[in-house]
PDB file of all heavy atoms in Angstrom:
ATOM      1  N   ARG Z  18      19.755  16.584  -6.637  1.00 97.00           N
ATOM      2  CA  ARG Z  18      19.022  16.953  -5.473  1.00 97.00           C
ATOM      3  C   ARG Z  18      17.401  16.896  -5.747  1.00 97.00           C
ATOM      4  O   ARG Z  18      16.749  16.331  -4.890  1.00 97.00           O
ATOM      5  CB  ARG Z  18      19.270  18.420  -5.163  1.00 97.00           C
ATOM      6  CG  ARG Z  18      20.547  18.600  -4.524  1.00 97.00           C
ATOM      7  CD  ARG Z  18      20.866  20.068  -4.152  1.00 97.00           C
ATOM      8  NE  ARG Z  18      22.209  20.243  -3.789  1.00 97.00           N
ATOM      9  CZ  ARG Z  18      22.575  20.155  -2.529  1.00 97.00           C
ATOM     10  NH1 ARG Z  18      21.696  19.893  -1.551  1.00 97.00           N
ATOM     11  NH2 ARG Z  18      23.827  20.332  -2.110  1.00 97.00           N
ATOM     12  N   GLU Z  19      16.997  17.141  -7.028  1.00 97.00           N
ATOM     13  CA  GLU Z  19      15.646  16.937  -7.323  1.00 97.00           C
ATOM     14  C   GLU Z  19      15.233  15.427  -7.380  1.00 97.00           C
ATOM     15  O   GLU Z  19      14.211  15.063  -6.874  1.00 97.00           O
ATOM     16  CB  GLU Z  19      15.310  17.508  -8.773  1.00 97.00           C
ATOM     17  CG  GLU Z  19      15.346  19.139  -8.797  1.00 97.00           C
ATOM     18  CD  GLU Z  19      15.281  19.606 -10.207  1.00 97.00           C
ATOM     19  OE1 GLU Z  19      15.080  18.856 -11.186  1.00 97.00           O
ATOM     20  OE2 GLU Z  19      15.306  20.887 -10.267  1.00 97.00           O
ATOM     21  N   ARG Z  20      16.132  14.524  -7.833  1.00 98.00           N
ATOM     22  CA  ARG Z  20      15.937  13.229  -7.853  1.00 98.00           C
ATOM     23  C   ARG Z  20      15.858  12.618  -6.432  1.00 98.00           C
ATOM     24  O   ARG Z  20      15.010  11.744  -6.179  1.00 98.00           O
ATOM     25  CB  ARG Z  20      17.002  12.460  -8.610  1.00 98.00           C
ATOM     26  CG  ARG Z  20      16.797  10.909  -8.723  1.00 98.00           C
ATOM     27  CD  ARG Z  20      15.745  10.538  -9.637  1.00 98.00           C
ATOM     28  NE  ARG Z  20      15.737   9.100  -9.726  1.00 98.00           N
ATOM     29  CZ  ARG Z  20      14.593   8.458  -9.660  1.00 98.00           C
ATOM     30  NH1 ARG Z  20      13.414   8.926  -9.671  1.00 98.00           N
ATOM     31  NH2 ARG Z  20      14.713   7.123  -9.813  1.00 98.00           N
ATOM     32  N   VAL Z  21      16.609  13.041  -5.544  1.00 98.00           N
ATOM     33  CA  VAL Z  21      16.684  12.626  -4.216  1.00 98.00           C
ATOM     34  C   VAL Z  21      15.203  13.056  -3.559  1.00 98.00           C
ATOM     35  O   VAL Z  21      14.641  12.328  -2.751  1.00 98.00           O
ATOM     36  CB  VAL Z  21      17.820  13.169  -3.404  1.00 98.00           C
ATOM     37  CG1 VAL Z  21      17.756  13.055  -1.883  1.00 98.00           C
ATOM     38  CG2 VAL Z  21      19.120  12.542  -3.837  1.00 98.00           C
ATOM     39  N   ALA Z  22      14.883  14.286  -3.786  1.00 97.00           N
ATOM     40  CA  ALA Z  22      13.615  14.708  -3.306  1.00 97.00           C
ATOM     41  C   ALA Z  22      12.477  13.925  -3.839  1.00 97.00           C
ATOM     42  O   ALA Z  22      11.545  13.546  -2.999  1.00 97.00           O
ATOM     43  CB  ALA Z  22      13.381  16.229  -3.592  1.00 97.00           C
ATOM     44  N   ASP Z  23      12.494  13.562  -5.069  1.00 97.00           N
ATOM     45  CA  ASP Z  23      11.524  12.703  -5.498  1.00 97.00           C
ATOM     46  C   ASP Z  23      11.427  11.272  -5.018  1.00 97.00           C
ATOM     47  O   ASP Z  23      10.349  10.821  -4.600  1.00 97.00           O
ATOM     48  CB  ASP Z  23      11.653  12.543  -7.079  1.00 97.00           C
ATOM     49  CG  ASP Z  23      11.377  13.811  -7.894  1.00 97.00           C
ATOM     50  OD1 ASP Z  23      10.803  14.688  -7.317  1.00 97.00           O
ATOM     51  OD2 ASP Z  23      11.822  13.840  -9.093  1.00 97.00           O
ATOM     52  N   LEU Z  24      12.674  10.714  -4.672  1.00 97.00           N
ATOM     53  CA  LEU Z  24      12.698   9.505  -4.081  1.00 97.00           C
ATOM     54  C   LEU Z  24      12.281   9.418  -2.666  1.00 97.00           C
ATOM     55  O   LEU Z  24      11.560   8.552  -2.172  1.00 97.00           O
ATOM     56  CB  LEU Z  24      14.183   8.881  -4.222  1.00 97.00           C
ATOM     57  CG  LEU Z  24      14.566   8.589  -5.545  1.00 97.00           C
ATOM     58  CD1 LEU Z  24      16.092   8.197  -5.613  1.00 97.00           C
ATOM     59  CD2 LEU Z  24      13.779   7.369  -6.102  1.00 97.00           C
ATOM     60  N   GLU Z  25      12.513  10.546  -1.938  1.00 98.00           N
ATOM     61  CA  GLU Z  25      12.062  10.739  -0.562  1.00 98.00           C
ATOM     62  C   GLU Z  25      10.549  10.767  -0.511  1.00 98.00           C
ATOM     63  O   GLU Z  25       9.907  10.259   0.348  1.00 98.00           O
ATOM     64  CB  GLU Z  25      12.740  11.929   0.069  1.00 98.00           C
ATOM     65  CG  GLU Z  25      14.220  11.751   0.460  1.00 98.00           C
ATOM     66  CD  GLU Z  25      14.951  12.987   0.890  1.00 98.00           C
ATOM     67  OE1 GLU Z  25      14.322  14.201   0.635  1.00 98.00           O
ATOM     68  OE2 GLU Z  25      15.955  12.890   1.504  1.00 98.00           O
ATOM     69  N   ALA Z  26       9.904  11.618  -1.401  1.00 97.00           N
ATOM     70  CA  ALA Z  26       8.459  11.626  -1.534  1.00 97.00           C
ATOM     71  C   ALA Z  26       7.974  10.313  -1.772  1.00 97.00           C
ATOM     72  O   ALA Z  26       6.829   9.851  -1.245  1.00 97.00           O
ATOM     73  CB  ALA Z  26       8.119  12.640  -2.610  1.00 97.00           C
ATOM     74  N   LEU Z  27       8.501   9.457  -2.648  1.00 97.00           N
ATOM     75  CA  LEU Z  27       8.095   8.063  -2.896  1.00 97.00           C
ATOM     76  C   LEU Z  27       8.132   7.251  -1.742  1.00 97.00           C
ATOM     77  O   LEU Z  27       7.211   6.439  -1.485  1.00 97.00           O
ATOM     78  CB  LEU Z  27       8.907   7.590  -4.049  1.00 97.00           C
ATOM     79  CG  LEU Z  27       8.632   6.125  -4.530  1.00 97.00           C
ATOM     80  CD1 LEU Z  27       7.101   6.017  -5.089  1.00 97.00           C
ATOM     81  CD2 LEU Z  27       9.604   5.577  -5.518  1.00 97.00           C
ATOM     82  N   ILE Z  28       9.157   7.296  -0.994  1.00 97.00           N
ATOM     83  CA  ILE Z  28       9.341   6.555   0.248  1.00 97.00           C
ATOM     84  C   ILE Z  28       8.218   6.875   1.209  1.00 97.00           C
ATOM     85  O   ILE Z  28       7.638   5.960   1.699  1.00 97.00           O
ATOM     86  CB  ILE Z  28      10.764   6.752   0.882  1.00 97.00           C
ATOM     87  CG1 ILE Z  28      11.746   6.057   0.081  1.00 97.00           C
ATOM     88  CG2 ILE Z  28      10.759   6.247   2.282  1.00 97.00           C
ATOM     89  CD1 ILE Z  28      13.246   6.475   0.535  1.00 97.00           C
ATOM     90  N   VAL Z  29       7.926   8.190   1.340  1.00 97.00           N
ATOM     91  CA  VAL Z  29       6.823   8.599   2.319  1.00 97.00           C
ATOM     92  C   VAL Z  29       5.543   8.121   1.793  1.00 97.00           C
ATOM     93  O   VAL Z  29       4.793   7.418   2.616  1.00 97.00           O
ATOM     94  CB  VAL Z  29       6.766  10.099   2.393  1.00 97.00           C
ATOM     95  CG1 VAL Z  29       5.490  10.498   3.126  1.00 97.00           C
ATOM     96  CG2 VAL Z  29       8.019  10.554   3.099  1.00 97.00           C
ATOM     97  N   ARG Z  30       5.255   8.071   0.384  1.00 97.00           N
ATOM     98  CA  ARG Z  30       4.016   7.719  -0.116  1.00 97.00           C
ATOM     99  C   ARG Z  30       3.913   6.088   0.007  1.00 97.00           C
ATOM    100  O   ARG Z  30       2.736   5.610   0.536  1.00 97.00           O
ATOM    101  CB  ARG Z  30       3.799   7.974  -1.529  1.00 97.00           C
ATOM    102  CG  ARG Z  30       2.530   7.494  -2.130  1.00 97.00           C
ATOM    103  CD  ARG Z  30       2.364   7.953  -3.568  1.00 97.00           C
ATOM    104  NE  ARG Z  30       3.385   7.397  -4.412  1.00 97.00           N
ATOM    105  CZ  ARG Z  30       3.327   6.150  -4.906  1.00 97.00           C
ATOM    106  NH1 ARG Z  30       2.357   5.355  -4.682  1.00 97.00           N
ATOM    107  NH2 ARG Z  30       4.316   5.664  -5.738  1.00 97.00           N
ATOM    108  N   LEU Z  31       4.853   5.408  -0.213  1.00 96.00           N
ATOM    109  CA  LEU Z  31       4.899   3.934  -0.069  1.00 96.00           C
ATOM    110  C   LEU Z  31       4.745   3.420   1.402  1.00 96.00           C
ATOM    111  O   LEU Z  31       4.059   2.482   1.711  1.00 96.00           O
ATOM    112  CB  LEU Z  31       6.155   3.341  -0.713  1.00 96.00           C
ATOM    113  CG  LEU Z  31       6.142   3.483  -2.232  1.00 96.00           C
ATOM    114  CD1 LEU Z  31       7.495   2.874  -2.734  1.00 96.00           C
ATOM    115  CD2 LEU Z  31       5.047   2.731  -2.894  1.00 96.00           C
ATOM    116  N   SER Z  32       5.421   4.214   2.295  1.00 95.00           N
ATOM    117  CA  SER Z  32       5.201   3.881   3.759  1.00 95.00           C
ATOM    118  C   SER Z  32       3.838   4.096   4.204  1.00 95.00           C
ATOM    119  O   SER Z  32       3.332   3.250   4.941  1.00 95.00           O
ATOM    120  CB  SER Z  32       6.108   4.788   4.505  1.00 95.00           C
ATOM    121  OG  SER Z  32       7.557   4.458   4.304  1.00 95.00           O
ATOM    122  N   GLU Z  33       3.106   5.208   3.711  1.00 95.00           N
ATOM    123  CA  GLU Z  33       1.826   5.523   4.114  1.00 95.00           C
ATOM    124  C   GLU Z  33       0.896   4.386   3.511  1.00 95.00           C
ATOM    125  O   GLU Z  33      -0.080   3.915   4.229  1.00 95.00           O
ATOM    126  CB  GLU Z  33       1.350   6.752   3.602  1.00 95.00           C
ATOM    127  CG  GLU Z  33       1.960   7.952   4.382  1.00 95.00           C
ATOM    128  CD  GLU Z  33       1.701   9.291   3.675  1.00 95.00           C
ATOM    129  OE1 GLU Z  33       1.135   9.362   2.616  1.00 95.00           O
ATOM    130  OE2 GLU Z  33       2.057  10.290   4.342  1.00 95.00           O
ATOM    131  N   GLU Z  34       1.126   3.952   2.278  1.00 93.00           N
ATOM    132  CA  GLU Z  34       0.323   2.794   1.749  1.00 93.00           C
ATOM    133  C   GLU Z  34       0.552   1.612   2.430  1.00 93.00           C
ATOM    134  O   GLU Z  34      -0.486   0.795   2.740  1.00 93.00           O
ATOM    135  CB  GLU Z  34       0.647   2.734   0.248  1.00 93.00           C
ATOM    136  CG  GLU Z  34       0.202   3.755  -0.674  1.00 93.00           C
ATOM    137  CD  GLU Z  34       0.539   3.533  -2.185  1.00 93.00           C
ATOM    138  OE1 GLU Z  34       0.930   2.355  -2.521  1.00 93.00           O
ATOM    139  OE2 GLU Z  34       0.423   4.524  -2.934  1.00 93.00           O
ATOM    140  N   ASN Z  35       1.771   1.257   2.869  1.00 91.00           N
ATOM    141  CA  ASN Z  35       2.178   0.051   3.628  1.00 91.00           C
ATOM    142  C   ASN Z  35       1.417   0.068   4.936  1.00 91.00           C
ATOM    143  O   ASN Z  35       0.830  -0.898   5.384  1.00 91.00           O
ATOM    144  CB  ASN Z  35       3.556  -0.122   3.707  1.00 91.00           C
ATOM    145  CG  ASN Z  35       3.962  -1.463   4.292  1.00 91.00           C
ATOM    146  OD1 ASN Z  35       3.422  -2.455   3.860  1.00 91.00           O
ATOM    147  ND2 ASN Z  35       5.045  -1.414   5.197  1.00 91.00           N
ATOM    148  N   GLU Z  36       1.341   1.177   5.665  1.00 90.00           N
ATOM    149  CA  GLU Z  36       0.812   1.211   6.928  1.00 90.00           C
ATOM    150  C   GLU Z  36      -0.777   1.080   6.783  1.00 90.00           C
ATOM    151  O   GLU Z  36      -1.346   0.385   7.541  1.00 90.00           O
ATOM    152  CB  GLU Z  36       1.048   2.581   7.513  1.00 90.00           C
ATOM    153  CG  GLU Z  36       2.520   2.702   8.024  1.00 90.00           C
ATOM    154  CD  GLU Z  36       2.808   4.182   8.523  1.00 90.00           C
ATOM    155  OE1 GLU Z  36       1.892   4.996   8.569  1.00 90.00           O
ATOM    156  OE2 GLU Z  36       4.030   4.367   8.807  1.00 90.00           O
ATOM    157  N   ALA Z  37      -1.377   1.565   5.627  1.00 89.00           N
ATOM    158  CA  ALA Z  37      -2.815   1.392   5.466  1.00 89.00           C
ATOM    159  C   ALA Z  37      -3.077  -0.071   5.180  1.00 89.00           C
ATOM    160  O   ALA Z  37      -4.147  -0.477   5.731  1.00 89.00           O
ATOM    161  CB  ALA Z  37      -3.264   2.287   4.288  1.00 89.00           C
ATOM    162  N   LEU Z  38      -2.264  -0.692   4.409  1.00 85.00           N
ATOM    163  CA  LEU Z  38      -2.559  -2.119   4.124  1.00 85.00           C
ATOM    164  C   LEU Z  38      -2.307  -2.968   5.400  1.00 85.00           C
ATOM    165  O   LEU Z  38      -3.012  -3.968   5.599  1.00 85.00           O
ATOM    166  CB  LEU Z  38      -1.571  -2.646   3.100  1.00 85.00           C
ATOM    167  CG  LEU Z  38      -1.848  -2.143   1.700  1.00 85.00           C
ATOM    168  CD1 LEU Z  38      -0.794  -2.428   0.722  1.00 85.00           C
ATOM    169  CD2 LEU Z  38      -3.186  -2.608   1.188  1.00 85.00           C
ATOM    170  N   GLU Z  39      -1.341  -2.648   6.264  1.00 83.00           N
ATOM    171  CA  GLU Z  39      -1.118  -3.408   7.490  1.00 83.00           C
ATOM    172  C   GLU Z  39      -2.321  -3.241   8.442  1.00 83.00           C
ATOM    173  O   GLU Z  39      -2.575  -4.199   9.174  1.00 83.00           O
ATOM    174  CB  GLU Z  39       0.195  -3.005   8.247  1.00 83.00           C
ATOM    175  CG  GLU Z  39       1.444  -3.481   7.446  1.00 83.00           C
ATOM    176  CD  GLU Z  39       2.721  -2.894   8.045  1.00 83.00           C
ATOM    177  OE1 GLU Z  39       2.660  -1.967   8.860  1.00 83.00           O
ATOM    178  OE2 GLU Z  39       3.767  -3.475   7.714  1.00 83.00           O
ATOM    179  N   SER Z  40      -2.916  -2.128   8.483  1.00 84.00           N
ATOM    180  CA  SER Z  40      -3.973  -1.829   9.415  1.00 84.00           C
ATOM    181  C   SER Z  40      -5.332  -2.335   8.875  1.00 84.00           C
ATOM    182  O   SER Z  40      -6.330  -2.352   9.647  1.00 84.00           O
ATOM    183  CB  SER Z  40      -4.147  -0.329   9.727  1.00 84.00           C
ATOM    184  OG  SER Z  40      -4.484   0.395   8.629  1.00 84.00           O
ATOM    185  N   ALA Z  41      -5.443  -2.709   7.494  1.00 78.00           N
ATOM    186  CA  ALA Z  41      -6.743  -3.112   7.018  1.00 78.00           C
ATOM    187  C   ALA Z  41      -6.934  -4.592   7.493  1.00 78.00           C
ATOM    188  O   ALA Z  41      -6.100  -5.431   7.745  1.00 78.00           O
ATOM    189  CB  ALA Z  41      -6.627  -3.210   5.501  1.00 78.00           C
ATOM    190  N   ARG Z  42      -8.229  -4.918   7.584  1.00 69.00           N
ATOM    191  CA  ARG Z  42      -8.681  -6.222   8.129  1.00 69.00           C
ATOM    192  C   ARG Z  42      -8.396  -7.147   6.917  1.00 69.00           C
ATOM    193  O   ARG Z  42      -8.622  -6.773   5.792  1.00 69.00           O
ATOM    194  CB  ARG Z  42     -10.082  -6.302   8.545  1.00 69.00           C
ATOM    195  CG  ARG Z  42     -10.285  -5.469   9.759  1.00 69.00           C
ATOM    196  CD  ARG Z  42     -11.662  -5.589  10.187  1.00 69.00           C
ATOM    197  NE  ARG Z  42     -12.588  -5.261   8.958  1.00 69.00           N
ATOM    198  CZ  ARG Z  42     -13.867  -5.113   9.059  1.00 69.00           C
ATOM    199  NH1 ARG Z  42     -14.492  -5.101  10.206  1.00 69.00           N
ATOM    200  NH2 ARG Z  42     -14.635  -4.732   7.992  1.00 69.00           N
ATOM    201  N   PRO Z  43      -7.950  -8.521   7.153  1.00 66.00           N
ATOM    202  CA  PRO Z  43      -7.781  -9.411   6.057  1.00 66.00           C
ATOM    203  C   PRO Z  43      -8.996  -9.579   5.220  1.00 66.00           C
ATOM    204  O   PRO Z  43      -8.972  -9.703   4.057  1.00 66.00           O
ATOM    205  CB  PRO Z  43      -7.420 -10.709   6.846  1.00 66.00           C
ATOM    206  CG  PRO Z  43      -6.910 -10.175   8.158  1.00 66.00           C
ATOM    207  CD  PRO Z  43      -7.578  -8.964   8.566  1.00 66.00           C
ATOM    208  N   SER Z  44     -10.249  -9.449   5.958  1.00 61.00           N
ATOM    209  CA  SER Z  44     -11.352  -9.729   5.044  1.00 61.00           C
ATOM    210  C   SER Z  44     -11.662  -8.514   4.047  1.00 61.00           C
ATOM    211  O   SER Z  44     -12.276  -8.775   3.133  1.00 61.00           O
ATOM    212  CB  SER Z  44     -12.566  -9.811   5.993  1.00 61.00           C
ATOM    213  OG  SER Z  44     -12.745  -8.579   6.689  1.00 61.00           O
ATOM    214  N   ASP Z  45     -11.043  -7.395   4.300  1.00 60.00           N
ATOM    215  CA  ASP Z  45     -11.192  -6.324   3.380  1.00 60.00           C
ATOM    216  C   ASP Z  45     -10.229  -6.474   2.124  1.00 60.00           C
ATOM    217  O   ASP Z  45     -10.457  -5.931   1.122  1.00 60.00           O
ATOM    218  CB  ASP Z  45     -10.758  -5.002   4.094  1.00 60.00           C
ATOM    219  CG  ASP Z  45     -11.752  -4.557   5.118  1.00 60.00           C
ATOM    220  OD1 ASP Z  45     -12.983  -5.165   5.082  1.00 60.00           O
ATOM    221  OD2 ASP Z  45     -11.340  -3.655   5.895  1.00 60.00           O
ATOM    222  N   LEU Z  46      -9.197  -7.315   2.346  1.00 57.00           N
ATOM    223  CA  LEU Z  46      -8.248  -7.545   1.274  1.00 57.00           C
ATOM    224  C   LEU Z  46      -8.463  -8.689   0.406  1.00 57.00           C
ATOM    225  O   LEU Z  46      -8.039  -8.776  -0.657  1.00 57.00           O
ATOM    226  CB  LEU Z  46      -6.880  -7.695   1.898  1.00 57.00           C
ATOM    227  CG  LEU Z  46      -6.373  -6.519   2.758  1.00 57.00           C
ATOM    228  CD1 LEU Z  46      -5.058  -6.973   3.308  1.00 57.00           C
ATOM    229  CD2 LEU Z  46      -6.173  -5.246   1.811  1.00 57.00           C
ATOM    230  N   VAL Z  47      -9.343  -9.674   0.927  1.00 60.00           N
ATOM    231  CA  VAL Z  47      -9.500 -10.901   0.200  1.00 60.00           C
ATOM    232  C   VAL Z  47     -10.996 -11.146  -0.108  1.00 60.00           C
ATOM    233  O   VAL Z  47     -11.894 -10.931   0.712  1.00 60.00           O
ATOM    234  CB  VAL Z  47      -8.970 -12.190   0.870  1.00 60.00           C
ATOM    235  CG1 VAL Z  47      -9.201 -13.417   0.205  1.00 60.00           C
ATOM    236  CG2 VAL Z  47      -7.562 -12.007   1.274  1.00 60.00           C
ATOM    237  N   GLU Z  48     -11.326 -11.461  -1.229  1.00 61.00           N
ATOM    238  CA  GLU Z  48     -12.762 -11.784  -1.632  1.00 61.00           C
ATOM    239  C   GLU Z  48     -13.252 -13.012  -0.907  1.00 61.00           C
ATOM    240  O   GLU Z  48     -12.413 -13.942  -0.729  1.00 61.00           O
ATOM    241  CB  GLU Z  48     -12.925 -11.888  -3.205  1.00 61.00           C
ATOM    242  CG  GLU Z  48     -12.680 -10.627  -3.962  1.00 61.00           C
ATOM    243  CD  GLU Z  48     -12.872 -10.930  -5.464  1.00 61.00           C
ATOM    244  OE1 GLU Z  48     -13.785 -11.836  -5.781  1.00 61.00           O
ATOM    245  OE2 GLU Z  48     -12.236 -10.310  -6.199  1.00 61.00           O
ATOM    246  N   PRO Z  49     -14.460 -13.033  -0.583  1.00 62.00           N
ATOM    247  CA  PRO Z  49     -14.995 -14.317  -0.024  1.00 62.00           C
ATOM    248  C   PRO Z  49     -14.877 -15.489  -1.085  1.00 62.00           C
ATOM    249  O   PRO Z  49     -14.845 -15.298  -2.275  1.00 62.00           O
ATOM    250  CB  PRO Z  49     -16.461 -14.015   0.203  1.00 62.00           C
ATOM    251  CG  PRO Z  49     -16.518 -12.513   0.108  1.00 62.00           C
ATOM    252  CD  PRO Z  49     -15.480 -12.058  -0.713  1.00 62.00           C
ATOM    253  N   ILE Z  50     -14.623 -16.590  -0.519  1.00 62.00           N
ATOM    254  CA  ILE Z  50     -14.374 -17.782  -1.328  1.00 62.00           C
ATOM    255  C   ILE Z  50     -15.509 -18.004  -2.344  1.00 62.00           C
ATOM    256  O   ILE Z  50     -15.274 -18.483  -3.418  1.00 62.00           O
ATOM    257  CB  ILE Z  50     -14.126 -19.076  -0.592  1.00 62.00           C
ATOM    258  CG1 ILE Z  50     -12.800 -18.814   0.278  1.00 62.00           C
ATOM    259  CG2 ILE Z  50     -14.069 -20.340  -1.313  1.00 62.00           C
ATOM    260  CD1 ILE Z  50     -12.404 -19.890   1.258  1.00 62.00           C
ATOM    261  N   GLU Z  51     -16.766 -17.734  -1.861  1.00 64.00           N
ATOM    262  CA  GLU Z  51     -17.914 -17.969  -2.747  1.00 64.00           C
ATOM    263  C   GLU Z  51     -17.737 -17.115  -4.088  1.00 64.00           C
ATOM    264  O   GLU Z  51     -18.155 -17.709  -5.227  1.00 64.00           O
ATOM    265  CB  GLU Z  51     -19.219 -17.607  -2.124  1.00 64.00           C
ATOM    266  CG  GLU Z  51     -19.613 -18.265  -0.822  1.00 64.00           C
ATOM    267  CD  GLU Z  51     -18.834 -17.762   0.353  1.00 64.00           C
ATOM    268  OE1 GLU Z  51     -18.537 -16.634   0.418  1.00 64.00           O
ATOM    269  OE2 GLU Z  51     -18.535 -18.643   1.219  1.00 64.00           O
ATOM    270  N   ASN Z  52     -17.171 -15.970  -4.123  1.00 65.00           N
ATOM    271  CA  ASN Z  52     -17.025 -15.318  -5.359  1.00 65.00           C
ATOM    272  C   ASN Z  52     -15.945 -15.743  -6.185  1.00 65.00           C
ATOM    273  O   ASN Z  52     -15.757 -15.287  -7.289  1.00 65.00           O
ATOM    274  CB  ASN Z  52     -16.761 -13.760  -4.876  1.00 65.00           C
ATOM    275  CG  ASN Z  52     -17.983 -13.108  -4.184  1.00 65.00           C
ATOM    276  OD1 ASN Z  52     -18.975 -13.679  -4.229  1.00 65.00           O
ATOM    277  ND2 ASN Z  52     -17.664 -11.987  -3.578  1.00 65.00           N
ATOM    278  N   MET Z  53     -15.122 -16.605  -5.587  1.00 62.00           N
ATOM    279  CA  MET Z  53     -13.938 -17.001  -6.436  1.00 62.00           C
ATOM    280  C   MET Z  53     -14.142 -18.377  -7.171  1.00 62.00           C
ATOM    281  O   MET Z  53     -13.301 -18.871  -7.727  1.00 62.00           O
ATOM    282  CB  MET Z  53     -12.708 -17.037  -5.404  1.00 62.00           C
ATOM    283  CG  MET Z  53     -12.288 -15.881  -4.799  1.00 62.00           C
ATOM    284  SD  MET Z  53     -10.946 -15.899  -3.658  1.00 62.00           S
ATOM    285  CE  MET Z  53      -9.650 -16.648  -4.585  1.00 62.00           C
ATOM    286  N   GLN Z  54     -15.239 -18.958  -6.838  1.00 63.00           N
ATOM    287  CA  GLN Z  54     -15.553 -20.236  -7.445  1.00 63.00           C
ATOM    288  C   GLN Z  54     -15.875 -20.134  -8.903  1.00 63.00           C
ATOM    289  O   GLN Z  54     -16.697 -19.063  -9.248  1.00 63.00           O
ATOM    290  CB  GLN Z  54     -16.717 -21.012  -6.636  1.00 63.00           C
ATOM    291  CG  GLN Z  54     -16.309 -21.198  -5.177  1.00 63.00           C
ATOM    292  CD  GLN Z  54     -15.137 -22.189  -5.089  1.00 63.00           C
ATOM    293  OE1 GLN Z  54     -15.001 -23.168  -5.893  1.00 63.00           O
ATOM    294  NE2 GLN Z  54     -14.346 -21.981  -4.199  1.00 63.00           N
TER     295      GLN Z  54
END
């Protein structure tokens, strides 16, 4: 039961992180090309 509760909490945390990443603008996630040269 403790393991199931831990896994459920992990699912919630990962879902929140996924939603935050999906809502972020692509420019926030990728460095400008000039910085990558």
Side-chain angles (χ1 to χ4, degrees):
R18 287 180 187 271
E19 290 173 2
R20 180 70 174 139
V21 167
D23 292 343
L24 291 173
E25 288 172 342
L27 177 64
I28 289 171
V29 169
R30 184 179 60 82
L31 291 175
S32 296
E33 290 170 353
E34 287 179 15
N35 190 40
E36 290 171 4
L38 289 172
E39 286 176 347
S40 66
R42 294 183 307 192
S44 61
D45 293 343
L46 299 176
V47 180
E48 292 183 31
I50 294 176
E51 298 83 29
N52 294 344
M53 296 175 62
Q54 299 298 324

